[in-house]
Structures are given as C-alpha cells and as structure tokens.
C-alpha cells in the first residue's frame, strides 16, 4: 500500500474533538471579539458589545446564553440603551478565570427578538506582571507600550 491518493480521502468533513483550551474554526456566522480590560473584569464586570457588531443585534432586552466547553451561562442582553451590553457576565468571567489581557471571541449561533446565543472561545493573554500596574483599561486610547 502506498500513500493515500486524492480519491481515497473521505468526502465528509471529519468531526474534530476538542480538549482543554484548544481552539476551533469559526463557522462563518457573525462574531465579535473583546480584549478584556479592568472595566470588563473586577470589580464591575461590564461587557459592552462593540458598536459595529451591536448594530446587527435587536434593540431590545432579551435573554442571552453564552456557551463554552459544553456549559451554558444565562444572562441578559440590553440592546435598547445607548451602548449595548451583557448583564450577569460576572458568573461567566469568574467560572472561566478570565483576566485582564485575555480575549473572548463571541460567535453568534442564534439571534432573534426573543433570544441570543453565542459560542465563546477564550484566548489567554497573560500579560507579564510588570506591565499590569501600567494598564489603564478604561479605553482603547490607552495601549500597552512595550519598550
């Protein structure tokens, strides 16, 4: 037997089993990403949906589910305020040990006027401790500068 030939390859996509903190390809559905700052983590746990993406979401308050590694977290999406946000984000952040510098990718699995569902990927962004006290974390105009 020699090397497999093109005709020998299966025609269906294989199922990819994920373990640990592995990543998976996005499905082509809408998504947004957020690099976590002090305002998205302790003490206020405030997660604002980026403006460009929030324009595609309903302008109402609806139940929302975040799913990660087979577990679901229920929260509320507020789309009727001047900045669209997720409330009850704290449990998700604590349960997954999120820290300043980590990033989350929120892939929209379902979007209706009655419910939102996002699959989340967590990208750990461990920032060296010597830079943590220099982080403002209040806005995107305060980048981390490495000299």
């Amino acid at each position: 037997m020699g090397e497999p030939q093109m005709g020998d390859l299966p025609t269906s996509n294989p199922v990819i089993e994920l373990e640990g903190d592995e990543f998976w390809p996005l499905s082509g559905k809408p998504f947004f990403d957020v690099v976590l700052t002090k305002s998205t983590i302790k003490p206020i746990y405030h997660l604002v949906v980026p403006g460009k993406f929030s324009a595609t979401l309903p302008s109402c308050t609806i139940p929302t589910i975040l799913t990660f590694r087979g577990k679901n977290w229920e929260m509320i999406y507020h789309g009727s305020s001047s900045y669209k946000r997720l409330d009850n984000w704290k449990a998700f952040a604590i349960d997954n040990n999120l820290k300043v510098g980590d990033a989350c990718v929120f892939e929209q699995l379902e979007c209706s006027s009655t419910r939102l569902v996002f699959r989340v990927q967590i990208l750990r962004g461990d920032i060296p401790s010597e830079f943590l006290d220099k982080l403002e974390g209040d806005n995107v105009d305060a980048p981390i500068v490495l000299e």
Side-chain angles (χ1 to χ4, degrees):
M1 298 190 115
E3 294 291 316
Q5 300 300 311
M6 188 61 136
D8 297 335
L9 297 176
T11 56
S12 64
N13 291 332
V15 174
I16 300 171
E17 295 294 329
L18 299 173
E19 294 180 6
D21 288 324
E22 293 182 59
F23 310 103
W24 55 90
L26 296 173
S27 67
K29 295 182 179 181
F31 71 93
F32 68 93
D33 57 85
V34 175
V35 176
L36 305 179
T37 64
K38 289 180 182 178
S39 63
T40 52
I41 303 295
K42 304 174 193 174
I44 59 174
Y45 295 92
H46 190 77
L47 182 67
V48 174
V49 178
K52 190 173 186 179
F53 188 84
S54 68
T56 67
L57 298 175
S59 295
C60 58
T61 299
I62 53 176
T64 300
I65 296 173
L66 299 185
T67 180
F68 176 67
R69 297 174 100 188
K71 187 175 175 187
N72 294 332
W73 287 263
E74 294 180 6
M75 53 198 63
I76 301 294
Y77 165 76
H78 292 278
S80 55
S81 63
S82 58
Y83 55 92
K84 298 178 180 185
R85 69 187 190 283
L86 293 176
D87 279 354
N88 301 336
W89 151 260
K90 182 177 182 176
F92 180 86
I94 290 172
D95 289 352
N96 293 292
N97 196 29
L98 296 180
K99 297 181 175 137
V100 171
D102 290 346
C104 293
V105 179
F106 297 83
E107 185 176 19
Q108 180 182 300
L109 300 181
E110 183 180 330
C111 179
S112 71
S113 60
T114 58
R115 182 169 108 142
L116 283 174
V117 179
F118 292 100
R119 179 173 65 169
V120 182
Q121 289 191 52
I122 297 173
L123 309 166
R124 302 292 175 187
D126 296 321
I127 296 174
S129 59
E130 62 266 21
F131 297 112
L132 286 176
D133 60 349
K134 297 178 182 178
L135 294 178
E136 294 295 324
D138 297 329
N139 60 59
V140 296
D141 297 323
I144 300 170
V145 178
L146 303 177
E147 297 176 9

